[in-house]
Amino acid sequence: MDKNFDINNEKKIYKAWLDGGYFKPRTDFDANYSGENFSMIMPPPNITGQLHIGHALNNTTQDFLARYRRMQGDNVLWVPGTDHASIATEVKIIDALKKEGLTKQDLGREGFLKRAWAWNDKFGGRIYTQLQALGTSCDWSRCAFTMDEKRQKAVLKVFKRLYDEGLIYRGSKIINWCPCCKTALSDAEVEHEDEKSSFWYIRYPYADGSGYLVVATTRPETLFGDVCVAVNPEDKRFTDKVGKMLKLPATDKEIPLISDEYVEKDFGTGAVKITPAHDPNDYEVGARHGFTPICVMNLDGSMNEICGKYAGLDRMDCRKRLIEDLKAEGLIEKIEPYTVSKGHCYRCHTSVEPMVSKQWFMNMDDMAKQGLKVEEEGKVKIIPNRVAKIYRNWLNNIRDWCISRQLWWGHRIPAYYCDECGNTMVEESTPTKCSKCGNTHLHQDEDVLDTWFSSALWAFSTLGYPEKTKDLERFFPTSVLVTAQDIIFFWVARMVMLSGKIEGNIPFKKVLINGIVRDDEGKKMSKSSNNGVDPIEIIDKYGADSLRFSLLVGNGTGNDFRFSETKILEDRKFINKVWNAGKFVELCISQSGEASLDKNKLNIYDKWIYTKLNTAIVDIAKSMNNLDVCQAVSRMYSFVWDDFCDNYVELCKPYVYSQNPDERNHAVAVLKDVYFNILKMLHPIIPFITEEIWQNFNKTMLIGESYAKSIGKFKKEEEQVQKIIGLIAKIREVRLSLNVPVSKRISLVICKQTSEDDAQLVLSAADVLSKNVNIEKVEAQNDKREAVKFVCEIGELALYKDEVVDTEKERERLNKDLAKIESEMTLLASRLNNPNFVERAPKELVKKEKERYEFLNSSAQSIKKNLNNL
RNA sequence: GGAAGUUUAGCUCAGUUGGUAGAGCCCCUGCCUUACAAGCAGGUUGUCGCAGGUUCGAGUCCUACAACUUCCACCA
């Protein structure tokens, strides 16, 4: 093995895995494979650009699970894919066109789509390259794209079915309109932000000349669409005015004053202008009173011909001009500063306009109920649980989903209209004639579907729906979905609903929510802040393993997470440690003969490390079952670094360097076995380096091995070695405190008080003590030589005074020990003297504490005696 | 206007059913000891946001408060 792992080998290793077919489910090779099915669908990244560090976290988490389950013997399927991201991609392409001085109209629908597919080839491909560099072990042979042929079929099938059932319908309703993207948006696609604006108090004169009524509004420019003014029926100020006509300012129109419960007496002036075409509430009020909405805006956000001289002005310019004009006419009562919450397009951040428009909708009522039910029953488990509350809240307040978009890039709505009789047909394949009148002149709906429509089918469309495939049968519902919190509405909830509706089942059993990745200052990474990190840059510099490990270590489930290059530098030390341990094992092997592992020859240290290994594996399994990735990783870390590298490697050195070939061969065999188990343990998180090391020793591939397994657990030996480790630490401490040079070899004395068993144990550890703390010999107490005593878990021991000297240092040390022991005794005593504790605490605990107290007490006694002797 | 999360060592963060506070980095001391100086052996560092409560016992459960963050919401 070289001095360091060469990260350039990662590509070669990935190719070997790929060529070996390791990313495919075992049932692809052996239909009778009996392992449990474990499946995941990858949240498909948008083809708008390249992956960022959040994607790296998401996919590392999934890959960690996939590789772990695979090594557990599961039949693992992980399906990768990308999303066409209708509106987001279209915005990007239009931007690109703009640089060439072109618009999408210049290209025409067909030309534009050609561009879009070329875009997909370029960026979709780049995403796959990035995922591979990260080491993702997904099954590329099943790779899906939301607009590929199979997924198109699924979309058509689902659309038709829901249309036939009346759940998808077309109608005129108030929707969110983005004047920049020129399309309708769903409620979920609107982001609300507080904006500083004004509250305009406008005078609406009574038609009969009896003064005026003051109406307060935040959107004066929509007054051209006013159909009436409303007041609360209980509001006595207006009782005698209701029914009168008002002159609509800046127009020659007259509108009535009506009353409606919706109006709040105490807000504003108590009088509200009702503009049904441009406000969801007004729409309701208008409908109740039989008014027809009047649309006053064009689709680009400019005012239309209804607005007279303001026609053609952008809505904001119109507002300015209108207010000036009204002021001049004395129709502005006052203007107050006001903060309004305004909706913005989630893609281009233009402020959206509520507008009445003819769109396609999906009725979500029953599906939402089903979605709530499966979560409440625990069939779909959301981790961490708090996120489930967000999910429930949204489903409880769900409204019909606006699914049509006035875009070109996306699934075109399979609705066809007869040019003759206007009949609407929804078909999976283009009809040739009208089903009603037989006319052959038909045209297809111009709109495409919301990009999240195809995403909602992802859980089963990726497994072959609408065909009844083996994959669907085996892998649906999927096991775990790993995703981010911000798409819980867009995606997670809708997948649950559509899977329930179409497949009559849940899409996944568990949802693991990743936190948001922030930069080292805690700021959210985003393009606008320019603090995003390209995973490829990190991988090129430090290797994929370093990135993967750093993303998962210390990252609590669902918590936001700070990422920085500094953290990578800290965390990659662990990878270096694993590599160096491998070098040690290699060295030992090269210096020993062949020996197979003989369970009967295990010494206490071997038994100790196997017990530790066993515990670690059990803990890891528990954490992995709970999807507690952070805990699993930290458990791996402490076993490898603390138990194996710091302790076992040092404890086994006398044996792997032994002059006795049998002893040496055995020791190396154990060392090798434990280390190989470490490689297996770590492979799911740092697959490249572990594979590289594994192949240095083996002809097989690590990815195909089963997970780490201990050959046993040995309670007694574990305790014994724990005592020896404690003794070593104590000797180091004493040597240091007495200023005994590390290089000086000294004797260790077993005092008479020490039990026979413990004395034997210390004697048996002579080699280990020699190697670790430079103890020349271990012997029983010799009364003729003065000794410096100390106490540890294993009993009372001593060093010869003439070998270590320095009375002052010794006194200092003993006093320090005594203080420590006494403070613990005080704590225990206060507890044991409390009758409540003795009576009510578990008996085992009370007993344990009593024993501990006794032990400390006797230790304190002997330390005091030693102090006196000084 | 609702709701959620966070608050633990100088910094970044772990802390599973309540049972004597942990890691990494930083800092100090001693070591280039034949796996590893991206290291080893030691050491220092905390009224676990504030105030109550439940309990023999609370970082952990309950209540109120504060600060920060986020999500949801049609009051013109």
Side-chain angles (χ1 to χ4, degrees):
Chain A
M1 284 167 73
D2 297 334
K3 187 166 191 316
N4 295 106
F5 174 57
D6 181 2
I7 55 174
N8 293 316
N9 289 339
E10 290 184 350
K11 284 195 183 73
K12 186 188 75 195
I13 294 168
Y14 192 86
K15 187 167 184 303
W17 290 330
L18 202 55
D19 293 346
Y22 290 101
F23 300 164
K24 290 163 155 288
R26 307 260 167 104
T27 41
D28 274 16
F29 307 101
D30 172 11
N32 298 317
Y33 187 77
S34 61
E36 211 173 297
N37 294 317
F38 181 88
S39 54
M40 289 186 295
I41 45 167
M42 179 188 290
N46 289 346
I47 56 160
T48 42
Q50 48 206 19
L51 301 188
H52 53 74
I53 218 80
H55 289 110
L57 168 63
N58 178 253
N59 285 291
T60 299
T61 308
Q62 291 175 79
D63 194 51
F64 185 49
L65 295 174
R67 287 176 187 267
Y68 180 78
R69 303 305 315 193
R70 205 175 279 130
M71 292 179 88
Q72 295 288 339
D74 287 5
N75 183 37
V76 173
L77 173 65
W78 181 20
V79 186
T82 45
D83 194 304
H84 66 286
S86 174
I87 184 167
T89 307
E90 189 151 328
V91 165
K92 287 253 178 185
I93 296 174
I94 289 171
D95 274 354
L97 286 177
K98 208 186 246 169
K99 282 176 193 148
E100 300 172 35
L102 293 168
T103 66
K104 68 181 216 183
Q105 280 73 22
D106 292 340
L107 293 180
R109 188 162 192 145
E110 210 170 306
F112 183 82
L113 288 179
K114 234 180 224 172
R115 283 271 192 154
W117 281 105
W119 179 283
N120 176 48
D121 288 345
K122 184 176 169 192
F123 287 96
R126 188 182 288 182
I127 287 166
Y128 294 138
T129 310
Q130 284 180 300
L131 285 170
Q132 296 189 349
L134 189 65
T136 54
S137 63
C138 43
D139 183 357
W140 295 104
S141 71
R142 285 173 168 84
C143 194
F145 175 53
T146 48
M147 286 243 294
D148 63 21
E149 211 176 307
K150 284 182 180 169
R151 266 42 71 173
Q152 297 238 22
K153 266 190 195 163
V155 165
L156 291 172
K157 186 106 183 166
V158 169
F159 189 94
K160 171 144 177 69
R161 179 171 156 192
L162 296 182
Y163 176 80
D164 289 345
E165 289 186 30
L167 290 170
I168 285 180
Y169 62 93
R170 195 174 185 222
S172 271
K173 288 174 70 156
I174 194 148
I175 47 90
N176 308 289
W177 182 266
C178 174
C180 171
C181 303
K182 295 188 185 59
T183 178
L185 297 173
S186 69
D187 296 327
E189 287 169 311
V190 177
E191 289 172 351
H192 290 268
E193 271 170 56
D194 280 353
E195 232 174 50
K196 280 201 176 124
S197 178
S198 301
F199 212 12
W200 289 272
Y201 290 74
I202 303 174
R203 294 170 177 161
Y204 281 42
Y206 287 106
D208 60 9
S210 59
Y212 49 80
L213 177 68
V214 181
V215 169
T217 179
T218 56
R219 306 188 57 211
E221 70 281 5
T222 64
L223 71 73
F224 301 104
D226 289 1
V227 294
C228 61
V229 171
V231 294
N232 190 290
E234 305 287 309
D235 196 333
K236 292 189 184 101
R237 289 175 293 177
F238 305 109
T239 325
D240 56 335
K241 305 280 198 317
V242 172
K244 281 191 170 191
M245 295 304 281
L246 294 157
K247 277 186 174 166
L248 187 58
T251 70
D252 46 16
K253 273 172 41 180
E254 289 190 5
I255 55 172
L257 179 65
I258 63 150
S259 68
D260 192 282
E261 301 270 323
Y262 156 72
V263 183
E264 296 210 12
K265 282 187 288 187
D266 303 327
F267 191 81
T269 61
V272 189
K273 66 195 242 353
I274 301 298
T275 322
H278 297 284
D279 183 283
N281 290 311
D282 292 7
Y283 183 79
E284 302 287 324
V285 176
R288 270 203 289 279
H289 297 272
F291 291 104
T292 310
I294 302 166
C295 186
V296 301
M297 256 177 244
N298 295 312
L299 298 181
D300 61 357
S302 65
M303 308 310 291
N304 67 15
E305 67 286 351
I306 288 185
C307 310
K309 67 171 184 173
Y310 305 96
L313 288 177
D314 180 77
R315 58 206 192 285
M316 288 304 148
D317 296 331
C318 169
R319 173 183 290 182
K320 243 185 249 166
R321 292 268 288 275
L322 176 64
I323 294 298
E324 288 309 314
D325 292 346
L326 293 180
K327 264 186 190 165
E329 284 183 59
L331 292 178
I332 297 292
E333 174 105 354
K334 59 175 172 172
I335 302 172
E336 284 177 353
Y338 194 69
T339 304
V340 285
S341 168
K342 193 122 184 36
H344 297 261
C345 172
Y346 82 137
R347 284 305 168 206
C348 71
H349 301 102
T350 305
S351 87
V352 299
E353 294 296 333
M355 255 189 226
V356 170
S357 172
K358 198 169 194 187
Q359 302 287 345
W360 289 88
F361 295 90
M362 193 190 292
N363 181 314
M364 307 307 292
D365 296 347
D366 289 342
M367 284 187 250
K369 275 180 199 143
Q370 179 65 16
L372 283 163
K373 194 168 159 235
V374 292
E375 194 279 321
E376 266 154 35
E377 287 171 350
K379 286 180 183 147
V380 171
K381 198 176 170 200
I382 301 176
I383 302 162
N385 190 250
R386 61 186 156 80
V387 178
K389 289 178 191 165
I390 301 174
Y391 169 91
R392 280 178 225 145
N393 183 50
W394 191 70
L395 285 184
N396 274 320
N397 296 297
I398 200 155
R399 294 193 294 170
D400 286 3
W401 175 14
C402 177
I403 53 172
S404 47
R405 296 288 178 277
Q406 288 63 51
L407 303 167
W408 286 348
W409 177 237
H411 292 275
R412 190 145 172 199
I413 290 177
Y416 304 85
Y417 308 107
C418 174
D419 292 343
E420 189 64 31
C421 69
N423 177 36
T424 301
M425 289 161 278
V426 168
E427 297 298 341
E428 286 176 57
S429 51
T430 315
T432 49
K433 58 177 188 185
C434 175
S435 57
K436 228 178 193 172
C437 71
N439 188 296
T440 53
H441 292 281
L442 307 171
H443 68 274
Q444 186 173 2
D445 196 299
E446 293 296 322
D447 293 353
V448 299
L449 286 167
D450 180 1
T451 200
W452 297 100
F453 188 99
S454 53
S455 314
L457 319 181
W458 197 240
F460 48 90
S461 69
T462 48
L463 295 176
Y465 173 91
E467 312 296 327
K468 288 202 171 11
T469 59
K470 278 264 178 229
D471 277 2
L472 259 180
E473 192 184 309
R474 255 189 209 118
F475 297 113
F476 189 85
T478 60
S479 311
V480 182
L481 176 76
V482 182
T483 189
Q485 201 179 122
D486 53 350
I487 53 174
I488 194 121
F489 311 135
F490 285 122
W491 196 44
V492 178
R494 285 173 180 158
M495 270 202 285
V496 175
M497 291 190 283
L498 270 297
S499 289
K501 180 68 203 169
I502 302 299
E503 286 291 293
N505 208 336
I506 52 170
F508 28 70
K509 295 166 194 155
K510 292 177 180 179
V511 182
L512 177 61
I513 302 293
N514 280 138
I516 296 166
V517 180
R518 299 174 176 282
D519 68 8
D520 51 356
E521 284 169 2
K523 275 191 290 210
K524 193 170 165 177
M525 285 190 176
S526 68
K527 274 164 218 139
S528 51
S529 319
N530 202 25
N531 58 354
V533 175
D534 181 356
I536 293 294
E537 263 175 48
I538 303 287
I539 291 170
D540 285 347
K541 213 160 160 189
Y542 304 105
D545 286 332
S546 297
L547 175 61
R548 293 167 60 106
F549 188 71
S550 196
L551 286 171
L552 298 192
V553 74
N555 183 357
T557 310
N559 288 351
D560 286 0
F561 167 74
R562 276 184 207 212
F563 178 84
S564 64
E565 220 162 308
T566 319
K567 186 170 191 310
I568 296 258
L569 287 171
E570 287 169 17
D571 295 333
R572 73 166 178 163
K573 290 180 179 180
F574 177 76
I575 291 161
N576 188 243
K577 190 77 176 171
V578 174
W579 180 261
N580 283 317
K583 275 168 43 184
F584 175 68
V585 174
E586 185 186 48
L587 177 79
C588 294
I589 291 173
S590 71
Q591 293 173 354
S592 75
E594 273 300 310
S596 57
L597 180 60
D598 185 348
K599 234 181 130 170
N600 298 315
K601 285 188 185 166
L602 298 180
N603 67 28
I604 55 170
Y605 307 107
D606 302 337
K607 289 181 176 175
W608 174 80
I609 192 66
Y610 276 118
T611 310
K612 288 285 187 187
L613 174 64
N614 184 70
T615 319
I617 292 168
V618 169
D619 290 348
I620 290 164
K622 207 169 138 193
S623 298
M624 292 303 281
N625 286 334
N626 296 333
L627 297 181
D628 192 341
V629 170
C630 177
Q631 281 301 304
V633 173
S634 101
R635 200 61 190 81
M636 290 174 187
Y637 188 103
S638 69
F639 173 75
V640 173
W641 202 306
D642 303 342
D643 295 339
F644 183 76
C645 292
D646 283 355
N647 285 310
Y648 184 71
V649 165
E650 296 308 320
L651 293 171
C652 78
K653 274 181 182 169
Y655 304 99
V656 297
Y657 292 144
S658 167
Q659 296 305 308
N660 176 341
D662 282 347
E663 189 174 59
R664 193 169 69 224
N665 293 346
H666 165 79
V668 172
V670 174
L671 179 72
K672 190 170 91 171
D673 182 62
V674 176
Y675 183 70
F676 283 6
N677 273 295
I678 284 175
L679 294 177
K680 292 173 178 176
M681 176 188 284
L682 299 178
H683 180 259
I685 185 166
I686 45 172
F688 290 106
I689 195 169
T690 48
E691 184 72 73
E692 169 89 0
I693 299 171
W694 179 265
Q695 286 182 24
N696 190 57
F697 296 109
N698 298 281
K699 293 207 166 64
T700 59
M701 285 250 204
L702 179 56
I703 191 174
E705 293 290 316
S706 55
Y707 199 65
K709 195 169 187 311
S710 171
I711 57 176
K713 46 182 175 180
F714 311 91
K715 192 97 185 103
K716 188 181 155 206
E717 286 82 357
E718 189 196 7
E719 281 171 16
Q720 288 179 323
V721 173
Q722 219 58 58
K723 283 181 177 178
I724 291 170
I725 290 170
L727 173 62
I728 290 171
K730 192 73 198 176
I731 294 172
R732 279 187 185 130
E733 186 194 322
V734 175
R735 289 186 66 127
L736 200 70
S737 65
L738 294 175
N739 277 345
V740 183
V742 177
S743 56
K744 185 171 182 187
R745 285 183 71 74
I746 55 174
S747 314
L748 176 68
V749 181
I750 302 170
C751 300
K752 286 170 185 155
Q753 289 85 341
T754 300
S755 77
E756 183 62 25
D757 283 352
D758 284 341
Q760 280 304 319
L761 184 59
V762 177
L763 283 169
S764 78
D767 287 344
V768 162
L769 294 170
S770 165
K771 181 82 193 162
N772 284 276
V773 277
N774 220 0
I775 295 295
E776 189 171 22
K777 56 182 184 293
V778 181
E779 57 188 41
Q781 189 171 3
N782 174 351
D783 291 334
K784 286 175 189 150
R785 281 176 87 180
E786 254 188 287
V788 178
K789 293 185 180 174
F790 60 91
V791 186
C792 63
E793 301 289 326
I794 207 166
E796 196 173 7
L797 295 111
L799 305 175
Y800 285 123
K801 198 173 175 184
D802 54 24
E803 287 180 351
V804 296
V805 288
D806 204 336
T807 321
E808 261 327 293
K809 289 270 180 194
E810 171 65 356
R811 191 186 304 279
E812 212 174 278
R813 181 183 67 78
L814 287 175
N815 276 320
K816 203 171 145 197
D817 274 8
L818 189 61
K820 207 166 161 189
I821 287 174
E822 281 178 339
S823 89
E824 195 183 337
M825 283 172 69
T826 316
L827 198 107
L828 287 175
S830 76
R831 194 176 293 174
L832 289 166
N833 289 334
N834 179 351
N836 282 325
F837 173 74
V838 179
E839 279 165 34
R840 299 192 205 186
K843 276 186 186 133
E844 237 175 81
L845 185 74
V846 176
K847 191 179 157 220
K848 210 174 117 195
E849 307 247 299
K850 265 186 188 159
E851 283 171 4
R852 177 80 186 156
Y853 185 85
E854 295 304 324
F855 168 76
L856 292 172
N857 194 29
S858 70
S859 302
Q861 293 311 321
S862 74
I863 289 173
K864 280 181 192 158
K865 218 161 89 188
N866 293 340
L867 273 169
N868 284 336
N869 290 344
L870 281 175

